[in-house]
């Protein structure tokens, strides 16, 4: 029997996988070939991906398949050699072990791969034994803070009041992070199993999955999975419900998340009381990130020791990172903690997409920072990353090459933070806005040297006077870029120069008359139609309406389009 | 108060319940079904409910980015401004949409066909820059592809 699988995650669908699936469905003979859906296996750069199995053995993988390729694909089906992906061999998959292999809408496929064995095993153990096991595994929260998961559970277990609540935090808000989406779309039962084990270990009878509304496919697959697990009678005495977020980054913070579930504005509250003492509607509450929960079934199945063998002394196990930005092979990778940042980006990610050297790597989203190329040998552990000024965060990794402006990036994050500040603390609400304004001024060539001291001063004050981590870490993108890329700040301020050719106010596009052949290509491709010129005549850019998008530069085959920056002498 | 708002308010309270915890689900239903949050409807709900006040509903609705107080266009364009999309030129994509539609971010075209928005992250970072039109994600968008995208009928694939 031949089986063909198509990866239908959000990324696969956006790359055209649904059309490939439909075409396969139209052309195959169902008597001989079985067509299956699966989700993303993390190799997003190769989507749409079609895999061929004969008697459950992988016979071939087809990358970047288009509907027109389907006929050829079916003809040569078994003639191809299995092209094993070099990347998978270097990964250590715990959380992602099923992603891209099983049909996320089939509980039986999950069970066939060992699903729900951990739940059954956990339920034969006492809650304290489960808590001890998770503590011994060394698992730390994968949402960012890195707190011991077992200890968190113990706090809730020790609280005598009831009823208790467990919540899966699927409000993956960090721009640049998408591992939770991939797990929810590709292996939703794993998260549910982890959550049900958490409920058993803490004594909770209500379980919720709080998920952001921007993930419609993940929500759909979770609903399907909940219906399946409920029909299979595996919920026990636990009620399980999905709560959809309404679009607020700060709701990833646990006290804001609870406020949102209670029907209020998602504003963080003062801790203590911690959620384990008094959480949702005053009940003892345990909140874990999706990736944390997804690691739980593996730990219970294989034992605490198997997990704690992976990684380093303080950072045990594996971590999923989402590689994106200017990296050659974007997607998800799961590696043992302690692997170096350089290995991950250069070997698994293939280096930069442009081939130009790496300038920096942004880790940990808006609370994180930019690690310069010189520190790429840093090990991926909570402590080592923190020492650079960045953080592990949820695992978003954005690779930046020479064409990325570090002040522009700092401005981007401050804009994000000042938009998403809930407004409760004055220093965060107003301070981040002032920082954004200063950075905007600098990128416009209107900066002053005193702006740098002003930024440092505001950073200290906002960090000291904010209640939650959003405010406390708001200045990190500015602090790390100032620490490692101060000369770029000075260039913007003093020389009015943006070396990356990004800051629009500091760059000018020009067409060199001696090189322009009048081929009209730039004028045709200009999205704002601001290039004038007759065929075979020299073309001119009308600067008054030029948006400096760079399309003309990228399409010109004669090197006639140039970009300049800095004070014209 | 128009009678239809009054009836709708009663129906919503019956469907979800008269408790603070249902504020967001109620607003989400209104946003989906009406395409925006009509203030008179919030007032109608508050006048009938015991535990939901108009100021509270308004406060919640203004806090979350999912809710809008003006009707949206037939098609909603969400340009992703996540970090990966940003470093790969998402601002140029926004500029191209603004120029092609002659509107600013947050606005709707005069004929009511398109609303332009930016979103924090669609989670499709490997396809950056990404754009979501009516729930369909398009990856590796270029400023040049913008005009072509706007001509796509139905926005299916």
């Amino acid at each position: 029997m031949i089986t063909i699988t198509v990866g239908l995650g959000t990324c696969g669908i956006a790359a055209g996988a649904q059309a490939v699936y439909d075409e396969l469905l139209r052309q195959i003979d169902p008597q001989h070939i079985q067509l299956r859906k699966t989700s993303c296996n993390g190799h997003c750069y190769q989507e749409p991906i079609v895999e061929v199995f004969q008697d459950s053995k992988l016979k071939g993988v087809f990358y970047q398949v288009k509907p027109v390729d389907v006929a050829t694909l079916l003809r040569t089906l078994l003639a191809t050699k299995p092209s094993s992906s070099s990347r998978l061999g270097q990964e250590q998959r715990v959380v992602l072990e099923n992603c891209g292999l099983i049909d996320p809408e089939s509980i039986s496929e999950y069970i066939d791969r060992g699903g729900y064995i951990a739940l059954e095993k956990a339920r034969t153990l006492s809650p304290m034994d489960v808590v001890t096991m998770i503590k011994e595994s060394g698992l730390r929260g994968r949402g960012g803070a890195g707190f011991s998961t077992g200890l968190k559970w113990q706090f809730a277990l020790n609280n005598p009041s009831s009823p208790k609540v467990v919540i899966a935090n699927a409000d993956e808000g960090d721009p640049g992070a998408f591992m939770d989406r991939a797990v929810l779309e590709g292996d939703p039962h794993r998260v549910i199993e982890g959550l049900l084990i958490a409920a058993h270990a803490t004594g909770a009878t209500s379980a919720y999955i709080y998920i952001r509304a921007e993930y419609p496919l993940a929500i759909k697959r979770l609903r399907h999975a909940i219906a399946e697990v409920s029909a299979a009678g595996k919920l026990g005495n636990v009620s399980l419900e999905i709560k959809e977020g309404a679009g607020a980054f700060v709701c990833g913070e646990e006290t804001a998340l609870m406020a949102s579930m209670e029907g209020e504005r998602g504003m963080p509250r003062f801790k203590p009381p911690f959620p384990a003492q008094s959480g949702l509607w005053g009940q003892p509450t345990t909140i874990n990130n999706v990736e944390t929960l997804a690691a739980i079934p593996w730990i219970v199945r294989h034992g605490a020791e198997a997990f704690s063998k992976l990684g380093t002394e303080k950072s045990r196990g594996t971590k999923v990172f989402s590689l994106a930005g200017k990296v050659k092979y974007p997607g998800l990778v799961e590696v043992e903690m302690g692997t170096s940042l350089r290995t991950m980006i250069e070997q698994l990610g293939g280096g930069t997409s442009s081939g130009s050297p790496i300038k920096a790597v942004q880790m940990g989203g808006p609370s994180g920072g930019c690690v310069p190329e010189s520190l790429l040998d840093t090990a991926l552990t909570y402590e080592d990353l923190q020492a650079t000024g960045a953080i592990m965060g949820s695992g978003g990794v954005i690779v930046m090459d020479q064409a990325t402006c570090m002040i522009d990036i700092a401005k981007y994050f401050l804009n994000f933070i000042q938009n998403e500040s809930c407004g409760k603390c004055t220093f965060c609400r107003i301070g981040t806005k002032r920082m954004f304004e200063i950075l905007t001024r600098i990128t416009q060539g209107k900066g002053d040297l005193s702006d740098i001291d002003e930024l440092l001063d505001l950073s200290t004050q906002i960090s000291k006077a904010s209640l939650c981590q959003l405010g406390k870490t708001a200045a990190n993108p500015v602090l790390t870029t100032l620490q490692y890329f101060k000369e770029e700040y000075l260039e913007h301020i003093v020389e009015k120069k943006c070396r990356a050719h990004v800051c629009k106010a500091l760059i000018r596009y020009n067409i060199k008359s001696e090189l322009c052949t009048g081929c009209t290509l730039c004028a045709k491709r200009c999205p704002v139609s601001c290039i004038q010129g007759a065929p075979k005549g020299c073309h001119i850019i009308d600067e008054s309406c030029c948006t400096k998008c760079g399309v003309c530069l990228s399409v010109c085959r004669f090197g006639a389009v140039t970009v300049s920056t800095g004070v014209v002498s | 108060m128009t009678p239809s708002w009054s009836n709708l308010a009663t129906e919503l309270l019956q469907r979800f319940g008269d408790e603070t915890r249902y504020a967001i689900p109620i607003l989400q239903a209104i946003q989906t079904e009406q395409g925006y949050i009509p203030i008179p409807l919030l007032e109608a709900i508050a006048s009938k409910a015991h535990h939901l006040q108009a100021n509270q509903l308004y406060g919640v609705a203004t806090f979350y980015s999912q809710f809008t107080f003006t009707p949206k266009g037939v098609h909603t364009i969400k340009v992703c401004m996540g970090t990966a999309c940003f470093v790969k030129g998402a601002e140029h994509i926004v500029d191209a949409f603004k120029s092609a539609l002659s509107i600013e971010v947050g606005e709707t075209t005069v004929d009511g066909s398109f609303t332009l928005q930016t979103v924090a992250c669609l989670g499709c970072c490997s396809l950056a820059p990404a754009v979501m039109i009516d729930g369909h994600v398009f990856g590796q968008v270029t400023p040049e592809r913008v005009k072509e995208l706007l001509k796509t009928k139905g926005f299916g694939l």
Side-chain angles (χ1 to χ4, degrees):
Chain A
M1 185 71 177
I2 295 170
T3 309
I4 298 181
T5 62
V6 183
L8 290 171
T10 295
C11 45
I13 293 172
Q18 186 65 52
V20 171
Y21 182 87
D22 294 343
E23 189 59 29
L24 277 163
L25 195 63
R26 211 175 60 79
Q27 293 196 24
I28 57 160
D29 174 1
Q31 300 240 300
H32 297 102
I33 297 175
Q34 184 196 10
L35 186 61
R36 288 175 63 243
K37 292 177 188 178
T38 181
S39 196
C40 177
N41 69 359
H43 299 176
C44 310
Y45 60 102
Q46 299 282 33
E47 297 281 7
I49 301 175
V50 175
E51 288 178 314
V52 180
F53 297 85
Q54 189 173 29
D55 301 324
S56 305
K57 276 200 192 117
L58 184 66
K59 298 297 283 184
V61 186
F62 297 84
Y63 294 126
Q64 299 178 14
V65 181
K66 296 185 191 69
V68 292
D69 303 331
V70 165
T72 323
L73 186 151
L74 287 173
R75 252 199 326 275
T76 59
L77 206 52
L78 298 170
T80 52
K81 293 259 180 293
S83 56
S84 65
S85 164
S86 57
R87 179 148 127 190
L88 261 183
Q90 298 175 59
E91 287 188 48
Q92 178 76 42
R93 291 201 160 188
V94 169
V95 167
L96 298 178
E97 64 177 343
N98 289 340
C99 280
L101 291 175
I102 62 167
D103 179 351
E105 298 192 358
S106 161
I107 190 172
S108 61
E109 289 199 16
Y110 180 65
I111 291 172
D112 286 347
R113 287 185 56 87
Y116 289 111
I117 288 176
L119 178 65
E120 278 165 35
K121 184 175 165 191
R123 282 178 176 164
T124 62
L125 302 171
S126 73
M128 196 56 222
D129 286 346
V130 180
V131 166
T132 307
M133 182 194 291
I134 301 304
K135 263 163 70 179
E136 282 173 357
S137 76
L139 177 66
R140 294 169 65 176
R142 299 295 193 236
F147 189 75
S148 159
T149 304
L151 214 51
K152 201 180 218 183
W153 288 10
Q154 190 176 351
F155 293 147
L157 176 64
N158 289 351
N159 190 334
S161 59
S162 68
K164 296 180 191 174
V165 182
V166 286
I167 302 172
N169 182 351
D171 191 49
E172 183 172 56
D174 274 3
F178 54 98
M179 62 287 292
D180 293 354
R181 173 183 65 72
V183 173
L184 292 165
E185 285 179 3
D187 200 6
H189 282 288
R190 166 178 298 267
V191 181
I192 293 171
E193 186 177 8
L195 190 61
L196 292 174
I197 294 171
H200 172 71
T202 59
T205 47
S206 307
Y208 297 93
I209 301 173
Y210 183 92
I211 181 165
R212 66 198 293 248
E214 287 86 346
Y215 287 172
L217 187 63
I219 294 172
K220 184 181 151 228
R221 291 192 177 155
L222 266 178
R223 284 199 196 290
H224 184 86
I226 291 174
E228 280 183 316
V229 74
S230 170
K234 292 189 186 299
L235 289 179
N237 64 345
V238 181
S239 67
L240 175 56
E241 232 182 281
I242 291 179
K243 285 275 176 193
E244 278 183 51
F249 173 71
V250 72
C251 288
E253 199 280 339
E254 55 187 13
T255 58
L257 184 151
M258 292 188 296
S260 170
M261 284 179 65
E262 290 172 1
E264 291 169 14
R265 291 164 74 94
M267 288 176 158
R269 297 166 188 166
F270 188 76
K271 290 191 279 192
F274 290 96
Q277 299 166 296
S278 169
L280 192 69
W281 297 299
Q283 297 163 4
T285 304
T286 310
I287 303 171
N288 290 124
N289 162 268
V290 164
E291 193 188 331
T292 314
L293 290 170
I296 298 288
W298 194 95
I299 296 171
V300 175
R301 241 181 313 135
H302 295 86
E305 206 189 317
F307 189 81
S308 66
K309 266 189 199 154
L310 300 167
T312 66
E313 195 193 338
K314 285 186 177 165
S315 300
R316 307 271 187 197
T318 60
K319 174 80 188 86
V320 185
F321 292 93
S322 52
L323 294 182
K326 293 178 178 172
V327 64
K328 194 168 180 189
Y329 304 132
L332 292 178
V333 293
E334 183 170 2
V335 293
E336 234 185 297
M337 296 248 219
T339 307
S340 82
L341 192 49
R342 189 183 298 282
T343 304
M344 181 170 73
I345 290 167
E346 292 183 352
Q347 291 185 20
L348 281 78
T352 61
S353 47
S354 60
S356 86
I358 294 170
K359 185 182 206 172
V361 177
Q362 210 283 340
M363 303 268 318
S367 305
C370 292
V371 182
E373 199 276 341
S374 58
L375 291 178
L376 281 193
D377 291 314
T378 302
L380 293 164
T381 68
Y382 291 97
E383 291 74 22
D384 289 302
L385 285 171
Q386 202 149 18
T388 68
I391 57 164
M392 174 83 78
S394 55
V397 178
I398 309 287
V399 177
M400 299 167 184
D401 65 6
Q402 304 301 318
T404 311
C405 170
M406 302 317 285
I407 294 86
D408 187 52
I409 283 296
K411 183 183 90 172
Y412 163 80
F413 280 113
L414 261 295
N415 184 32
F416 180 86
I417 289 291
Q418 62 100 17
N419 259 321
E420 296 294 340
S421 170
C422 78
K424 187 168 186 164
C425 308
T426 316
F427 284 79
C428 174
R429 183 180 71 238
I430 300 174
T432 57
K433 194 167 178 61
R434 288 293 97 85
M435 286 180 83
F436 171 62
E437 286 165 359
I438 294 171
L439 291 165
T440 304
R441 264 203 324 263
I442 295 175
T443 58
Q444 287 173 343
K446 297 173 190 160
D448 188 275
L449 282 174
S450 64
D451 284 341
I452 291 181
D453 293 331
E454 190 82 22
L455 284 171
L456 290 170
D457 186 37
L458 281 166
S459 299
T460 317
Q461 296 195 38
I462 295 166
S463 170
K464 276 188 184 164
S466 298
L467 186 63
C468 79
Q469 287 302 315
L470 183 140
K472 284 193 181 302
T473 60
N476 280 358
V478 172
L479 292 175
T480 52
T481 48
L482 263 176
Q483 183 181 351
Y484 299 119
F485 301 96
K486 192 169 182 180
E487 74 277 19
E488 280 196 44
Y489 278 85
L490 297 175
E491 278 171 11
H492 278 71
I493 294 168
V494 180
E495 299 171 47
K496 313 295 173 202
K497 174 179 161 191
C498 175
R499 63 164 88 171
H501 295 161
V502 170
C503 295
K504 289 178 185 173
L506 305 182
I507 59 168
R508 293 174 67 225
Y509 281 90
N510 245 313
I511 298 177
K512 279 188 176 163
S513 56
E514 65 272 25
L515 291 176
C516 178
T517 62
C519 75
T520 74
L521 190 60
C522 58
K524 276 186 198 144
R525 304 284 278 275
C526 175
V528 288
S529 309
C530 77
I531 304 180
Q532 310 297 327
K536 300 196 176 162
C538 177
H539 281 54
I540 295 167
I541 297 172
D542 177 359
E543 279 197 55
S544 65
C545 61
C546 173
T547 59
K548 299 175 182 177
C549 69
V551 166
C552 51
L553 180 72
S554 67
V555 300
C556 181
R557 289 184 292 233
F558 308 99
V561 181
T562 59
V563 54
S564 57
T565 181
V567 183
V568 184
S569 53
Chain B
M1 192 196 303
T2 57
S4 61
W5 290 145
S6 171
N7 294 343
L8 192 54
T10 310
E11 191 271 318
L12 283 163
L13 285 168
Q14 272 167 3
R15 198 184 336 161
F16 292 96
D18 176 6
E19 279 183 66
T20 314
R21 71 171 78 176
Y22 300 118
I24 292 174
I26 288 175
L27 288 166
Q28 284 172 327
I30 298 173
Q31 180 74 44
T32 310
E33 289 157 25
Q34 308 295 319
Y36 72 112
I37 307 288
I39 304 266
L41 179 54
L42 298 189
E43 286 165 355
I45 292 170
S47 71
K48 289 166 191 290
H50 297 291
H51 303 290
L52 294 162
Q53 281 99 40
N55 65 339
Q56 182 223 349
L57 287 169
Y58 184 77
V60 171
T62 49
F63 187 84
Y64 297 97
S65 61
Q66 197 183 5
F67 306 119
T68 54
F69 291 93
T70 47
K72 280 192 187 166
V74 181
H75 305 292
T76 302
I77 299 164
K78 294 180 178 177
V79 183
C80 181
M81 289 299 276
T83 322
C85 291
F86 182 78
V87 301
K88 293 196 116 185
E91 282 197 320
H92 299 312
I93 310 295
V94 176
D95 286 342
F97 273 113
K98 286 197 318 202
S99 152
L101 297 169
S102 304
I103 51 173
E104 290 297 313
V105 174
E107 293 180 354
T108 301
T109 50
V110 184
D111 66 356
S113 49
F114 291 102
T115 298
L116 180 63
Q117 293 181 327
T118 55
V119 291
C121 186
L122 293 171
C124 299
C125 314
S126 52
L127 300 167
V131 173
M132 190 190 254
I133 306 180
D134 298 344
H136 298 280
V137 176
F138 298 88
Q140 284 151 5
V141 179
T142 58
E144 304 161 75
R145 246 187 95 198
V146 161
K147 283 180 196 161
E148 173 201 329
L149 278 180
L150 289 174
K151 283 186 208 139
T152 315
K153 289 218 174 74
F155 297 104
L157 287 167

